[in-house]
Amino acid sequence: MSLKPNAKVVLEVRDLQTYFKTDAGIVKAVDGVSFKLHEGETLGIVGESGSGKSVTNLSVMRLIPSPPGKVVGGEAIFEDRDILSLSEKEMRSIRGAKISMIFQDPMTSLNPFLRISTQMVETIRLHNKELSRQEALERSIEMLRLVGIPSAEKRVRDYPHQFSGGMRQRVMIAMALSCNAKILVADEPTTALDVTIQAQILELIAKLSAKMGTAVILVTHDLGVVAGMCDHVCVMYAGKIVERAQTATLYAKPAHPYTEGLIKSVPRMDTSKKGERLYSIEGQPPNVIDLPPCCPFHPRCPKAMEVCRHAYPPLRDLGSGHEVSCWLYVDEKERVYE
Ligand code: SF4
């Protein structure tokens, strides 16, 4: 967590909409998402599977498979340009160099048939054409050292399968940051790893982002992970952001019943009793095909009211950038529906 006061906005996503055409209907995977990411900030995007958090970031990276998916609306402003309207050639000079992404399973991004050196040198030279192979190799070794790979000068010649899961994720982080990216998108970067390694990888991302000034978008379903890492959090449900706040505020005063449920379902070392069942939010996330214009959380919400079944709640500012989309925060006189 290294957000400075008055830090510049490095990425502004406005009203992003990404839909998928399926035989059953239109899936509105992301429907009107807006957020700002500041220099040096770590922003958490949290939600259950299918909430739209990964699709949001894949849309910004222009990695949505089309068909069936398509960004049908919105903007993503980076360095004064809307990257959603750039040509694929222009986007290639940004993706991997200025905005990098790491995924849950590093093997989906590493080529199993090529040595790490080949893959890193190629990536570095693609975005830094003035560098010789030798210089790019030296940069690769330096990055592997920085992420804590022992004997980096030897291990750089290894193939991906010769590394453990945690070490592969370190290699991916080294590759992602090897061109001094301004933004690192980390999509569930620790889900496939055991708990001790998870903590090490998260610590590494935090350390490197502080050292290199990289802003991070951390996509996760785990609010426990967000607590120690993020400056701000956006909570997503059914393709929309339903609450956003500074991390400390979100934990101290969660406003949306869904956020409350997510926080209650995080195991606590201090208050959880032995043998106690962990809390879980009842029910399933909604099918996002042809969602009716109401609060999509209402079938699972313990505080649902009649208005929730008829109209989507407007966004309300609770102060200091804490925003929530829930009818509980709308004056009773304004809770009108047709
Ligand atoms: Fe619950 Fe209604 Fe708020 Fe939705 S709008 S979260 S159903 S209280």
Side-chain angles (χ1 to χ4, degrees):
M1 291 200 264
S2 51
L3 180 59
K4 295 189 193 105
N6 307 322
K8 274 200 291 183
V9 173
V10 281
L11 175 70
E12 180 169 2
V13 174
R14 297 178 193 148
D15 200 19
L16 179 70
Q17 293 161 296
T18 305
Y19 296 174
F20 289 79
K21 211 173 179 177
T22 70
D23 291 342
I26 302 289
V27 175
K28 294 183 177 178
V30 174
D31 198 16
V33 163
S34 302
F35 63 85
K36 286 180 186 168
L37 177 71
H38 298 83
E39 242 171 18
E41 175 182 8
T42 299
L43 172 73
I45 301 188
V46 191
E48 293 165 295
S49 298
S51 59
K53 55 195 192 305
S54 293
V55 175
T56 297
N57 289 295
L58 289 171
S59 305
V60 171
M61 296 295 286
R62 303 264 306 267
L63 291 173
I64 294 291
S66 181
K70 193 168 181 199
V71 176
V72 296
E75 294 177 320
I77 308 298
F78 175 74
E79 294 185 337
D80 301 324
R81 291 189 294 177
D82 174 18
I83 54 177
L84 299 182
S85 59
L86 296 182
S87 68
E88 185 46 38
K89 191 176 166 211
E90 288 171 311
M91 192 59 205
R92 271 202 294 271
S93 67
I94 291 178
R95 197 191 299 123
K98 296 183 173 181
I99 309 179
S100 281
M101 192 160 185
I102 53 171
F103 298 90
Q104 180 177 334
D105 179 4
M107 282 310 265
T108 54
S109 319
L110 291 169
N111 186 329
F113 300 106
L114 297 177
R115 293 179 199 277
I116 298 299
S117 53
T118 312
Q119 302 188 50
M120 286 192 78
V121 166
E122 245 173 49
T123 307
I124 293 170
R125 291 194 74 218
L126 182 70
H127 300 293
N128 300 274
K129 298 204 167 43
E130 74 288 353
L131 287 186
S132 67
R133 287 200 160 274
Q134 185 55 35
E135 285 168 327
L137 181 64
E138 280 161 21
R139 172 92 181 132
S140 309
I141 295 168
E142 184 193 321
M143 286 307 299
L144 291 180
R145 275 199 197 111
L146 201 62
V147 298
I149 305 275
S151 311
E153 60 294 339
K154 283 192 195 137
R155 303 284 335 249
V156 74
R157 311 256 176 219
D158 285 349
Y159 289 91
H161 73 268
Q162 292 172 282
F163 290 84
S164 65
M167 284 293 166
R168 275 201 289 267
Q169 197 57 288
R170 283 173 189 265
V171 171
M172 273 314 302
I173 295 169
M175 269 174 90
L177 297 180
S178 58
C179 299
N180 295 323
K182 286 197 170 172
I183 300 172
L184 174 69
V185 180
D187 191 344
E188 304 269 10
T190 58
T191 306
L193 305 172
D194 69 48
V195 181
T196 337
I197 310 293
Q198 270 186 21
Q200 291 172 8
I201 295 293
L202 293 172
E203 207 181 304
L204 177 67
I205 294 174
K207 196 179 97 188
L208 290 181
S209 77
K211 188 179 162 96
M212 303 173 85
T214 317
V216 178
I217 299 178
L218 180 68
V219 179
T220 178
H221 63 275
D222 186 346
L223 262 180
V225 164
V226 163
M229 282 279 292
C230 300
D231 300 286
H232 288 95
V233 193
C234 294
V235 180
M236 285 193 72
Y237 193 78
K240 294 182 192 288
I241 292 176
V242 294
E243 183 165 9
R244 84 176 84 227
Q246 289 182 2
T247 308
T249 308
L250 194 95
Y251 278 83
K253 290 182 193 159
H256 197 283
Y258 176 59
T259 315
E260 278 182 53
L262 286 179
I263 291 177
K264 267 167 68 183
S265 53
V266 176
R268 297 273 305 252
M269 294 286 283
D270 51 348
T271 52
S272 297
K273 296 188 192 88
K274 199 176 167 196
E276 191 183 22
R277 278 178 77 90
L278 276 178
Y279 176 83
S280 69
I281 302 170
E282 277 185 24
Q284 297 296 321
N287 182 347
V288 283
I289 296 177
D290 301 326
L291 270 179
C294 60
C295 173
F297 189 58
H298 79 78
R300 307 170 76 187
C301 180
K303 297 177 181 169
M305 303 168 285
E306 196 50 34
V307 63
C308 310
R309 296 176 237 282
H310 297 277
Y312 195 86
L315 199 66
R316 286 290 185 261
D317 190 344
L318 307 182
S320 308
H322 186 181
E323 292 180 328
V324 62
S325 176
C326 169
W327 282 112
L328 290 171
Y329 302 89
V330 176
D331 195 275
E332 263 184 64
K333 289 191 279 285
E334 291 175 53
R335 289 183 198 158
V336 283
Y337 57 91
E338 299 195 342

